[in-house]
Amino acid sequence: MKKIFLKDIAQALNLSKTAVSLVLNNRGDENKISKDTQKRILDFAKKNNYRPNQMARGLSLGKSETIGLIVPNISDIFYARIAHFIEIKAKEFGYNVVFSSSNENAAIEKELIYSMLNRQVDGLIIASTQKNEEDILKLKEANFPFVLIDRYYPDIKTNYVIVDNFGGTKNMTEHLLGNRRRKIGFISIKSQLDALLQRRLGYEQALTENGFKVEPNYINELDPFDYQDEMKGAIKDMVQGSHKVDAVVFTTHYLAASGLRELKLLGIEVPSEVAIISFDELGAFDLVEPPITASKQPVDAMGNEAVEILVNEIDKKNLKIENERVLQTKLLIRKSCGV
Amino acid sequence: MKKIFLKDIAQALNLSKTAVSLVLNNRGDENKISKDTQKRILDFAKKNNYRPNQMARGLSLGKSETIGLIVPNISDIFYARIAHFIEIKAKEFGYNVVFSSSNENAAIEKELIYSMLNRQVDGLIIASTQKNEEDILKLKEANFPFVLIDRYYPDIKTNYVIVDNFGGTKNMTEHLLGNRRRKIGFISIKSQLDALLQRRLGYEQALTENGFKVEPNYINELDPFDYQDEMKGAIKDMVQGSHKVDAVVFTTHYLAASGLRELKLLGIEVPSEVAIISFDELGAFDLVEPPITASKQPVDAMGNEAVEILVNEIDKKNLKIENERVLQTKLLIRKSCGV
DNA sequence: ATGAAAGCGCTAACAG
DNA sequence: CTGTTAGCGCTTTCAT
């Protein structure tokens, strides 16, 4: 375990640091260093377990071979899974990943971005609060490699990998319509997030396109930090109140879970009395009673493509990878929407 | 966004780099630098958005203010949640965290440990595969700060924060016994993990202590990478076969979920035909039908304490924080165990 | 084919 | 109170 440095191996082998460095970075051949010398260096390094100090290397190279990941909350299974795929893909390209959670707070996110820049990350993957237009613009102007995931800035041209929120929700709503539900409620989160707006638009479009009209009373957007408490009222009002909704679209997995919890407490039968459907999926949605029909997001593709685009940017290979990706969700039909 | 360096601000203000560095590191007073000069420096830095290069700083200081986190799989909600708490706590102390998943593979874990060391992390938090005794020992001998979480090495004296696996499972089993279940099955994962061994011992102890004997046929340990497939057979055998078990203890949340899935497929009623109980909890276990009684692990405390112990180690403050922590689980009684 | 030397940006003795 | 100087460990130009 005792540390050995570049110069140690140079001394031991009676060579220059240059030679050693070159060989260790696989540039021995191109610098015409004798096969024999190369072998000696490599062997010695292996034998003594040489491990370059990445801070020194990074300082010298001006890069860290690290990518930064900023998400609202790493303990949200959705982001955790994305992180997982990002990690795997990043490693393929030789990058490490450092993560931080913004807690959906723009100020924190801003701080995180700069903190990561100080840390000399080579690129950034951000699931932004969408309230940091300014800093995203700065990144862009500075030509710093980054890609947005999950959420993007419609007004800024950047790399991004998102999901078709509009289409996904439209599809969900049509599924409900197809199951002869006519009074379809919509429970979402009060937020400026474009994703959430798109989900509402998708819902509305499905209705109008099919000749139904959008009933504002059927729409309820809850406080993001207080949705659990507000859910009870929302459900009562929508399902038991005068509206008598016969289905509800939940725009996130945790809303669907929370909603179902309340429905159960109120003794309301799903799907006979009310059908429910969820945008985004939870691992146990198939075990819940009734199993919840949900639109599954392609987290794997999201993570993979984000890294690919990012690394491409970093390397400036400019392989012309398409860098504005809108992925499709997949409807998993279970029992919560009836027949 | 244009980068500004320490020397830029020194030049601009006609000062030395030293002065600037000192002030920026809050050591202005102790070095008797005039309040006025300090203010000028601070103001200028703020105004020009000075951000020190952490690689340079780290190289110079010999530390990175980063802690490394190695877990089996960051997309497992259990580890994701721990990561979340670790992140928060680490930030309190001024540390960033870089994570990597070992995929429960000792070789990968080993590689990760060294890769993180190269990255000059100041300390490590590891949920180890428990197959890297050698490297853990090396860390210890090298006096490198680290703390084990979730899994530890019984034979090595280290810092660790784990959970009372034995007690938790004993408690679960007794709960079943208390509900008049007499033929209690046990489904776990085939593994060398001490945690899993302890869970089995807890189960067995509960039985013998209460005058029942351990029936090997009631115990089934599945392949970690193939448990989904093997689950069907296990359930069939145990519940429908000659054994006719009337309860089963699952040692992880994913086993419980998988087991319940099979139970449902086979049309077996829970809890009337068979009760189930889970070590460790999933967010939706209260929504599942029936809601699953589970032993909840204190992920928050686990993350928090791990960081506290680690930072204490790093700072060598030696505050004599107790550094071998065994936390208690909490049984959440729901409906899957009957009355 | 190999080595000397400068430099990445910052910190820290030490000397004034 | 401030500045000079010497590193931290590695990469890289430029001679040789």
Side-chain angles (χ1 to χ4, degrees):
Chain A
M1 261 303 270
K2 83 158 185 293
K3 275 244 172 270
I4 161 177
F5 300 115
L6 197 58
K7 78 159 178 296
D8 296 329
I9 117 160
Q11 275 167 8
L13 265 33
N14 229 293
L15 293 168
S16 71
K17 281 164 53 180
T18 311
V20 180
S21 172
L22 252 19
V23 171
L24 258 18
N25 286 294
N26 280 317
R27 320 232 259 90
D29 285 340
E30 84 192 44
N31 286 73
K32 311 210 197 97
I33 292 177
S34 75
K35 281 293 177 204
D36 179 61
T37 305
Q38 293 202 37
K39 186 164 171 13
R40 284 171 60 219
I41 293 176
L42 260 7
D43 287 351
F44 189 90
K46 194 124 305 164
K47 180 156 156 294
N48 291 275
N49 223 289
Y50 171 69
R51 307 219 151 230
N53 177 324
Q54 299 291 346
M55 300 228 88
R57 190 153 196 277
L59 177 59
S60 188
L61 252 28
K63 53 187 286 204
S64 59
E65 272 155 335
T66 296
I67 78 186
L69 171 65
I70 299 175
V71 295
N73 184 344
I74 194 68
S75 75
D76 179 327
I77 188 65
F78 174 68
Y79 294 112
R81 297 191 61 218
I82 291 183
H84 176 68
F85 289 106
I86 286 179
E87 185 205 348
I88 294 176
K89 202 67 178 179
K91 197 161 299 168
E92 271 177 35
F93 288 110
Y95 288 87
N96 268 38
V97 7
V98 343
F99 73 95
S100 277
S101 305
S102 68
N103 197 25
E104 212 71 88
N105 176 315
I108 295 181
E109 176 174 300
K110 180 195 186 81
E111 189 46 41
L112 253 25
I113 291 177
Y114 290 106
S115 151
M116 295 235 170
L117 292 185
N118 303 348
R119 239 101 191 170
Q120 308 302 113
V121 298
D122 298 336
L124 237 22
I125 296 180
I126 310 174
S128 175
T129 58
Q130 275 185 223
K131 291 177 227 149
N132 269 328
E133 192 127 7
E134 189 191 332
D135 300 288
I136 298 295
L137 267 173
K138 279 193 190 155
L139 285 178
K140 182 183 163 147
E141 278 158 17
N143 253 306
F144 186 82
F146 72 102
V147 8
L148 267 18
I149 56 170
D150 189 39
R151 296 95 170 271
Y152 78 129
Y153 288 79
D155 297 339
I156 312 183
K157 180 151 180 65
T158 66
N159 302 316
Y160 61 77
V161 185
I162 58 174
V163 121
D164 181 8
N165 292 289
F166 179 89
T169 321
K170 179 158 178 282
N171 191 223
M172 286 159 60
T173 310
E174 283 168 346
H175 176 68
L176 254 10
L177 253 14
N179 283 2
R180 320 219 58 72
R181 303 290 167 157
R182 289 298 173 261
K183 302 171 77 171
I184 303 177
F186 180 88
I187 296 186
S188 187
I189 282 289
K190 199 173 298 151
S191 150
Q192 303 304 319
L193 253 28
D194 181 70
L196 259 9
L197 170 62
Q198 293 304 323
R199 290 178 199 175
R200 180 152 63 75
L201 295 179
Y203 156 81
E204 294 178 351
Q205 174 87 5
L207 292 179
T208 54
E209 216 175 274
N210 285 278
F212 300 94
K213 67 173 202 287
V214 176
E215 173 62 73
N217 286 322
Y218 291 0
I219 297 180
N220 202 336
E221 299 184 330
L222 312 180
D223 184 293
F225 296 105
D226 203 30
Y227 70 89
Q228 313 231 36
D229 285 342
E230 295 187 9
M231 185 61 79
K232 176 177 247 81
I235 293 287
K236 265 192 154 145
D237 178 57
M238 234 182 240
V239 184
Q240 296 190 314
S242 48
H243 310 315
K244 287 272 179 226
V245 139
D246 62 12
V248 8
V249 172
F250 291 99
T251 57
T252 74
H253 62 73
Y254 54 85
L255 284 175
S258 171
L260 178 58
R261 217 173 325 253
E262 290 306 331
L263 287 168
K264 283 178 183 266
L265 284 175
L266 293 169
I268 299 170
E269 283 285 314
V270 179
S272 61
E273 293 182 63
V274 62
I276 66 176
I277 193 166
S278 170
F279 194 99
D280 200 8
E281 147 97 342
L282 221 45
F285 269 6
D286 65 328
L287 295 174
V288 162
E289 183 53 41
I292 301 178
T293 294
S295 221
K296 186 192 177 88
Q297 303 199 51
V299 277
D300 50 350
M302 195 124 121
N304 287 337
E305 301 199 8
V307 174
E308 273 164 12
I309 294 172
L310 184 61
V311 170
N312 184 48
E313 277 278 321
I314 293 175
D315 295 348
K316 292 282 180 270
K317 289 225 183 81
N318 254 353
L319 291 181
K320 275 297 151 237
I321 284 186
E322 194 198 349
N323 54 3
E324 299 182 356
R325 300 277 290 126
V326 180
L327 308 176
Q328 294 306 310
T329 56
K330 186 176 170 205
L331 192 61
L332 301 178
I333 298 178
R334 296 198 269 246
K335 299 194 175 153
S336 65
C337 299
V339 204
Chain B
M1 265 301 271
K2 83 152 179 300
K3 274 243 173 269
I4 161 176
F5 300 115
L6 197 59
K7 76 157 181 296
D8 295 330
I9 117 161
Q11 274 167 9
L13 265 33
N14 229 293
L15 295 167
S16 71
K17 279 165 53 182
T18 311
V20 180
S21 173
L22 252 18
V23 171
L24 257 20
N25 287 294
N26 279 316
R27 322 233 260 88
D29 285 339
E30 83 192 46
N31 286 73
K32 311 214 196 90
I33 292 177
S34 74
K35 282 292 176 204
D36 180 62
T37 306
Q38 293 201 37
K39 188 164 171 11
R40 283 170 61 218
I41 294 176
L42 260 7
D43 286 351
F44 190 90
K46 195 123 306 166
K47 179 155 158 293
N48 291 275
N49 224 289
Y50 171 69
R51 307 227 150 222
N53 177 323
Q54 300 291 348
M55 303 228 84
R57 191 153 195 278
L59 178 58
S60 186
L61 252 26
K63 52 187 284 200
S64 59
E65 273 157 335
T66 296
I67 79 186
L69 171 65
I70 299 176
V71 294
N73 183 345
I74 193 69
S75 76
D76 179 328
I77 187 66
F78 174 68
Y79 295 112
R81 297 190 60 217
I82 291 183
H84 176 68
F85 289 106
I86 286 179
E87 185 206 347
I88 294 176
K89 201 68 179 179
K91 198 162 300 168
E92 270 176 36
F93 289 110
Y95 288 87
N96 269 40
V97 9
V98 344
F99 74 94
S100 276
S101 303
S102 68
N103 198 24
E104 213 69 88
N105 176 317
I108 295 180
E109 176 174 300
K110 181 196 184 81
E111 189 46 43
L112 253 25
I113 290 176
Y114 292 106
S115 151
M116 294 234 172
L117 292 185
N118 303 347
R119 240 100 190 169
Q120 308 301 113
V121 297
D122 297 335
L124 237 22
I125 295 179
I126 310 175
S128 175
T129 58
Q130 277 186 221
K131 289 177 229 149
N132 268 329
E133 191 128 9
E134 189 192 332
D135 300 290
I136 298 296
L137 266 173
K138 279 192 190 155
L139 285 179
K140 183 185 161 145
E141 278 158 18
N143 252 305
F144 186 82
F146 71 102
V147 7
L148 267 17
I149 55 170
D150 189 38
R151 296 97 170 270
Y152 77 129
Y153 289 79
D155 298 339
I156 312 183
K157 180 152 181 66
T158 66
N159 302 316
Y160 60 76
V161 184
I162 59 174
V163 122
D164 180 8
N165 291 290
F166 179 88
T169 321
K170 179 159 178 284
N171 191 223
M172 286 159 60
T173 310
E174 284 168 344
H175 176 68
L176 254 10
L177 254 13
N179 283 3
R180 319 219 56 75
R181 303 290 167 157
R182 289 298 174 260
K183 303 171 76 171
I184 303 177
F186 179 88
I187 296 186
S188 186
I189 281 290
K190 199 173 297 152
S191 149
Q192 303 304 319
L193 253 27
D194 181 70
L196 259 11
L197 171 60
Q198 293 303 326
R199 291 177 199 176
R200 181 153 62 75
L201 294 179
Y203 156 81
E204 294 177 350
Q205 173 86 4
L207 292 179
T208 54
E209 216 174 272
N210 285 278
F212 300 94
K213 64 173 205 287
V214 176
E215 173 62 73
N217 285 322
Y218 292 180
I219 298 180
N220 203 334
E221 299 183 330
L222 313 180
D223 184 292
F225 297 106
D226 204 30
Y227 69 89
Q228 314 231 36
D229 284 342
E230 295 188 11
M231 184 60 79
K232 176 177 247 80
I235 293 287
K236 265 192 155 145
D237 179 55
M238 237 182 238
V239 184
Q240 296 190 314
S242 47
H243 309 314
K244 286 273 180 229
V245 138
D246 62 13
V248 8
V249 172
F250 291 100
T251 58
T252 73
H253 62 73
Y254 55 85
L255 284 175
S258 171
L260 178 58
R261 213 168 336 247
E262 290 306 330
L263 254 6
K264 283 179 184 268
L265 285 175
L266 293 169
I268 299 170
E269 284 285 314
V270 179
S272 61
E273 293 183 64
V274 62
I276 66 176
I277 193 166
S278 170
F279 193 99
D280 201 10
E281 146 96 343
L282 221 46
F285 269 7
D286 66 326
L287 296 174
V288 161
E289 184 52 41
I292 301 178
T293 294
S295 221
K296 185 191 178 89
Q297 303 199 52
V299 277
D300 48 350
M302 195 124 120
N304 287 337
E305 302 199 7
V307 174
E308 273 164 12
I309 294 172
L310 184 63
V311 170
N312 185 45
E313 277 278 321
I314 293 175
D315 295 348
K316 293 281 180 268
K317 288 223 184 87
N318 253 355
L319 291 181
K320 274 299 150 233
I321 283 184
E322 195 199 347
N323 54 4
E324 298 183 356
R325 301 277 290 127
V326 180
L327 308 176
Q328 294 306 311
T329 56
K330 186 177 171 203
L331 192 61
L332 301 178
I333 299 178
R334 295 197 270 245
K335 299 195 176 151
S336 66
C337 298
V339 203

